[in-house]
Amino acid sequence: MPPPCRTIIDAQKTDNVEMRRTQPAEDCTVRPGSSAEHTDSTESLDDHRPISRRDALKAAGLAGAAALSTGAVSVCAHAAAADPMQNLVAAARAEGQLAVMGLPRDWCGYGAIIDGFKARYGLTVKELRPSASSADQIEAIKAGRAKADYQIPDVIEVGVSFASSAKQEGLLLPYKVSKWETIPGGAKDAQAHWYGGYYGAIAFEINADLVAKIPQDWSDLAAPEYRNSVGLAGNVSSNQAIQSILAAGLSGTKGNADEAAAQGLKFFADLNEKGNFVPVIGDSNSLVQSRTPILIRWDYLALADRDRLGGTARIEVVRPRTGFTAGLYVQAISAGAQHPNAARLWMEYLYSDEVQLAWLKGQCYPIRIADLVRNGSVPIDWRGRLQHPDIHDPDKIFPTLEDQERARDVITNGWDEIVGVRVRCLPDKGYDGPVS
């Protein structure tokens, strides 16, 4: 006779709060790829207590035959004794799919990472709007609360200040991955609503075939020889652009974070007045085609371009001497996730040694880099590729959360008035590499 069975009731609750959908920002192709169809109904969660990996797996991960979001699930008692990861995999497979947003396939090696997840666990991955910015992803979660068929992601990847505000608005579902203790304390929310995945430093990507004198610091960019040369690799509301402007301000204030955002705006206003700033969203095409031969962007994207474009253009990557800052991209589960167990499984996957090393191979700094170096997991031939002596100590290079939130508000609200020029999309002339 088979062992007795018990019933586990899904603890999710429908959130009927109506939220006004904000008008989306200009739809620029600033992250490559195309949207995917997503029309499943959406539920939001109003229980935002932190949930550990084991508790989540025991409470929600035992569904082998039906998705938990639809009601009660009958499971056999002996399943409780199974390995928690096996339970989570079974629950995720019952849901059948995962919806991600804002993940370009050539950004930090995400193409191989997504394909590896699909192959290993047999789930469909809906790649919604790979070009979505941090702000776009947050707005998608909000819109999903008011419109059941809206394309809402199960998981998001955003700048840390965006994640902090999303937590305050009740948009994120807490969950502690099994590698929780190896994530630096300054790179995670104490209640596990979000935690850092990888980070990069702001750098100058320079087409050395077009720029004779290579700039070494922010102040160099104001020189007359760089007229019509300097661009940002993102619109002003993107995390990448905000961090770029903040870094320029840190250089001008000698590291004074309280004044850095305002000083950064003044710096770009001066560049614009001199005619050095090019008000378009730069990318690999604009770099090669001389529209923005000096591009300010994440170093991992610049390094990827250098490797990829070696036979087409001579690319120099320079980390400025002053105003050095690193920006963290964090992972989180949407409170309206329709596939919450697939989302938890995705998080476990991202923080595995395998995927952390895949990010490293993609020129990004995985958040668990210090732990990977300590346990000898990082291949010797990779250790010198990231070229910065302090990069393994995130606490020394990240602006504080408060500094980032203040900078975001100052920059997004003050750009139009102080700099006085709108950063626009370039006409689409085909895709030629990773962009913001």
Side-chain angles (χ1 to χ4, degrees):
M1 176 180 295
C5 294
R6 60 192 178 90
T7 299
I8 295 179
I9 305 297
D10 179 21
Q12 298 185 69
K13 302 176 183 177
T14 302
D15 189 343
N16 292 319
V17 177
E18 292 290 326
M19 300 189 69
R20 179 176 58 85
R21 181 178 178 184
T22 303
Q23 181 68 25
E26 185 176 18
D27 186 17
C28 303
T29 308
V30 293
R31 280 191 172 187
S34 59
S35 299
E37 187 78 1
H38 186 65
T39 57
D40 297 337
S41 62
T42 301
E43 287 186 325
S44 297
L45 303 179
D46 62 9
D47 185 357
H48 291 235
R49 294 175 292 106
I51 182 169
S52 70
R53 172 176 178 259
R54 182 169 295 275
D55 289 343
L57 301 182
K58 290 173 68 177
L62 299 176
L68 294 184
S69 59
T70 58
V73 179
S74 178
V75 297
C76 292
H78 67 78
D83 178 79
M85 192 64 182
Q86 292 179 359
N87 294 337
L88 180 58
V89 171
R93 285 175 174 164
E95 293 171 346
Q97 61 182 275
L98 174 75
V100 303
M101 180 177 283
L103 300 184
R105 288 188 144 259
D106 51 3
W107 180 295
C108 290
Y110 260 119
I113 291 170
I114 292 171
D115 290 343
F117 182 78
K118 292 191 291 187
R120 176 169 300 178
Y121 300 113
L123 299 180
T124 298
V125 177
K126 290 190 175 182
E127 300 176 48
L128 306 174
R129 296 174 60 195
S131 62
S133 67
S134 295
D136 293 336
Q137 294 175 68
I138 300 303
E139 289 304 319
I141 298 175
K142 292 180 180 179
R145 285 183 160 184
K147 186 177 180 182
D149 63 350
Y150 192 78
Q151 294 185 354
I152 184 170
D154 295 314
V155 291
I156 59 173
E157 175 181 290
V158 296
V160 70
S161 63
F162 292 89
S164 175
S165 60
K167 172 191 172 181
Q168 295 172 11
E169 294 181 62
L171 303 177
L172 305 180
L173 177 67
Y175 174 69
K176 283 189 177 182
V177 291
S178 57
K179 296 291 186 179
W180 175 259
E181 298 302 327
T182 67
I183 302 171
K188 60 187 177 185
D189 170 54
Q191 287 76 46
H193 288 82
W194 54 262
Y195 23 100
Y198 62 87
Y199 54 98
I202 293 298
F204 304 156
E205 181 180 359
I206 304 157
N207 186 337
D209 291 332
L210 301 173
V211 178
K213 184 179 179 181
I214 304 300
Q216 300 297 319
D217 208 352
W218 294 97
S219 59
D220 297 341
L221 299 180
E225 58 259 45
Y226 302 130
R227 185 173 177 82
N228 293 322
S229 296
V230 182
L232 288 169
N235 62 43
V236 175
S237 65
S238 70
N239 185 48
Q240 183 171 209
I242 289 170
Q243 294 296 327
S244 298
I245 299 164
L246 176 63
L250 287 170
S251 174
T253 61
K254 298 182 179 180
N256 186 332
D258 291 337
E259 302 175 4
Q263 183 62 36
L265 289 175
K266 292 178 182 178
F267 174 83
F268 277 90
D270 181 62
L271 281 189
N272 186 55
E273 184 177 347
K274 285 181 166 64
N276 291 16
F277 180 62
V278 183
V280 300
I281 296 176
D283 57 21
S284 302
N285 287 327
S286 67
L287 184 83
V288 173
Q289 296 167 2
S290 79
R291 289 292 301 275
T292 59
I294 301 174
L295 194 56
I296 304 170
R297 71 183 333 180
W298 296 122
D299 56 355
Y300 50 82
L301 297 180
L303 291 167
D305 277 351
R306 185 190 64 185
D307 294 346
R308 185 180 57 85
L309 297 173
T312 304
R314 187 164 53 95
I315 305 298
E316 294 282 348
V317 179
V318 175
R319 294 188 181 91
R321 291 171 178 163
T322 62
F324 175 83
T325 187
L328 179 68
Y329 278 94
V330 305
Q331 311 293 326
I333 299 175
S334 166
Q338 295 178 313
H339 315 102
N341 291 303
R344 294 176 182 122
L345 183 60
W346 172 254
M347 300 294 267
E348 294 290 347
Y349 177 69
L350 290 184
Y351 289 85
S352 67
D353 288 5
E354 175 188 355
V355 175
Q356 292 278 301
L357 290 174
W359 271 331
L360 180 57
K361 187 176 181 180
Q363 303 284 16
C364 298
Y365 310 125
I367 197 62
R368 294 184 50 234
I369 184 66
D371 179 59
L372 295 171
V373 170
R374 278 194 302 268
N375 66 32
S377 298
V378 178
I380 294 175
D381 60 338
W382 288 4
R383 295 183 187 181
R385 294 180 63 181
L386 302 182
Q387 305 173 3
H388 196 281
D390 296 327
I391 211 66
H392 301 330
D393 190 354
D395 292 335
K396 291 183 179 179
I397 59 176
F398 294 147
T400 66
L401 176 58
E402 292 76 14
D403 289 342
Q404 292 187 62
E405 290 177 333
R406 181 168 57 247
R408 183 189 64 182
D409 291 342
V410 170
I411 290 168
T412 56
N413 293 324
W415 177 274
D416 289 344
E417 179 180 353
I418 296 172
V419 182
V421 63
R422 186 177 182 184
V423 180
R424 298 181 178 273
C425 302
L426 282 167
D428 186 10
K429 296 182 179 179
Y431 176 65
D432 189 31
V435 293
S436 168

